[in-house]
Amino acid sequence: MPRSPRSPLLLAGLLATGGIAHFAVPRSFDATIPQALPGKPRTWTYASGAVELALAAGLVLPKTRRTAALASAAFSVGVFPANVKMAVDWRHRPTPQKAAALGRLPLQLPLVLWARGIAKNGKGQA
């Protein structure tokens, strides 16, 4: 099924929103940083927010869209351990929070496939 020509812009908007959130409310993201990573969680929070903003910008520009889409797919795979950590850490929270944390896990696959579909055409048609 063909994607809308707006598909890259929608993914860019999603990434930009996430990137801004990393700077606006970093504490919630700090808690998802796996302890195995070196350095302070806040550094990783800001770095991943900056990456999301850069990927969003790359998706908006047709010249960089394919590369940004492939990088977005890789990024979605790379942040999966943080989503797993969140699901494990939130397993004793109230049901709505637990459901939100668990619900994030299967969402990574559609994000990867969405980004790859954008990369396939470079202009948003999969």
Side-chain angles (χ1 to χ4, degrees):
M1 183 164 123
R3 291 190 191 270
S4 164
R6 291 180 288 185
S7 183
L9 301 179
L10 293 172
L11 182 56
L14 181 68
L15 287 166
T17 300
I20 290 167
H22 279 72
F23 291 97
V25 286
R27 186 176 297 170
S28 62
F29 293 96
D30 293 346
T32 68
I33 305 299
Q35 291 178 346
L37 292 175
K40 296 179 181 179
R42 182 63 51 94
T43 303
W44 288 99
T45 294
Y46 287 155
S48 61
V51 168
E52 284 184 310
L53 291 171
L55 292 170
L59 285 166
V60 170
L61 303 170
K63 194 172 194 177
T64 56
R65 185 168 293 151
R66 183 176 188 281
T67 300
L70 291 172
S72 296
F75 181 78
S76 291
V77 171
V79 299
F80 187 71
N83 292 337
V84 171
K85 182 181 184 310
M86 181 181 186
V88 170
D89 290 349
W90 287 25
R91 68 187 180 279
H92 300 298
R93 289 202 177 186
T95 300
Q97 291 177 333
K98 189 176 2 179
L102 290 171
R104 289 177 62 141
L105 296 176
L107 289 178
Q108 292 305 120
L109 181 59
L111 286 174
V112 169
L113 295 176
W114 185 8
R116 287 188 59 205
I118 291 168
K120 188 175 185 179
N121 181 279
K123 294 181 182 167
Q125 304 279 327

